[in-house]
Amino acid sequence: QVVLFGALGNRMDHSMANIMLMEKYAKQGIDIIIVDEKNVIIPLPTEGIKYHIPMLENHYASVMALTDTLVG
């Protein structure tokens, strides 16, 4: 597992590129997590898995599809 610090910053294009690279490496079996002072970004496998994301008070969760298909 690789944890990246400083992968999110002032340039949205660089931040999005780093997030997209997570999916590329996940396909190769390399787990990458991006962490900053307000966020933890984790790629989730998509093949036949359902997720329950518990919500904490004053916290949020976002889900973005990095592939062509998102169901739910």
Side-chain angles (χ1 to χ4, degrees):
Q1 184 179 66
V2 177
V3 179
L4 298 178
F5 297 94
L8 304 174
N10 295 328
R11 292 205 39 190
M12 183 57 69
D13 56 336
H14 289 191
S15 297
M16 291 303 298
N18 289 333
I19 292 168
M20 297 300 288
L21 282 172
M22 295 173 73
E23 191 238 345
K24 173 186 174 183
Y25 287 106
K27 288 180 179 178
Q28 299 176 21
I30 302 169
D31 293 326
I32 298 175
I33 297 174
I34 295 177
V35 177
D36 73 4
E37 63 275 359
K38 294 184 178 182
N39 303 286
V40 176
I41 301 174
I42 303 168
L44 301 174
T46 58
E47 297 298 321
I49 298 174
K50 293 182 180 182
Y51 293 95
H52 171 75
I53 301 171
M55 295 304 300
L56 302 173
E57 189 174 337
N58 298 319
H59 288 75
Y60 61 90
S62 298
V63 178
M64 292 179 18
L66 298 178
T67 60
D68 294 337
T69 305
L70 177 65
V71 178

